[in-house]
Amino acid sequence: MSDQPIVSDDQPVNRDRVTDQSDAGGHGYSAHKENYAKRLRRIEGQVRGIARMIDEDKYCIDVLTQISAVNSALQSVALGLLDEHLGHCVSHAVASGGSEADAKLAEASAAIARLVRS
C-alpha cells in the first residue's frame, strides 16, 4: 500500500505536486481541497440515502451496511486529512522548533487518539 494519503475514491495524493501553502496561510489539505469537498459531498448523499432507507422501512441489515460504508468513507477522508496535517503543518512546526512544535505534536497526538477511539 502507498504511503500517500487517500483523498478521493482510493486515489493517492501525489505529494510531489503539493505546493507550499505556509506563506499563503494555507492548510495541509489546501492543494487537494476540491478532492476532499467532492468526497464529502458524496458521503453527504450517502447519508441522505440512509435517511431515505429509514423512511421507506428498508431491511435493517441493509441500513447497517450503508452506515458501515459511510463510516469507512469518513475514516478514509479523516486519515487523508491527518496525513496532510502531519506532512505540512506539523512538519513545518517541527522544522521551526520551539513551543509551536510541541503544541503541534500534542495536537496531532490528540487527533490520532480521537480517530483511534472512533
Side-chain angles (χ1 to χ4, degrees):
M1 178 160 208
S2 172
D3 64 343
Q4 295 179 335
I6 301 300
V7 177
S8 175
D9 297 329
D10 298 329
Q11 297 298 315
V13 171
N14 182 348
R15 274 216 183 130
D16 297 333
R17 290 189 273 171
V18 174
T19 57
D20 182 6
Q21 300 285 326
S22 59
D23 292 337
H27 299 287
Y29 63 85
S30 293
H32 307 287
K33 183 177 178 178
E34 188 53 41
N35 289 334
Y36 284 115
K38 179 180 175 183
R39 184 65 183 131
L40 289 169
R41 285 189 298 271
R42 187 174 296 129
I43 293 167
E44 181 182 21
Q46 288 176 291
V47 172
R48 282 193 305 271
I50 293 169
R52 197 168 35 255
M53 289 176 78
I54 296 292
D55 289 342
E56 296 170 358
D57 292 321
K58 296 294 182 182
Y59 185 57
C60 52
I61 295 300
D62 294 339
V63 175
L64 291 170
T65 299
Q66 292 305 309
I67 290 171
S68 178
V70 167
N71 284 334
S72 293
L74 282 171
Q75 193 78 306
S76 177
V77 170
L79 290 174
L81 287 169
L82 177 63
D83 191 67
E84 298 280 356
H85 180 66
L86 292 171
H88 179 269
C89 304
V90 175
S91 67
H92 284 144
V94 168
S96 297
S99 62
E100 181 185 359
D102 293 337
K104 288 288 185 190
L105 288 169
E107 180 183 60
S109 179
I112 292 167
R114 285 191 303 274
L115 284 173
V116 169
R117 285 192 299 265
S118 65

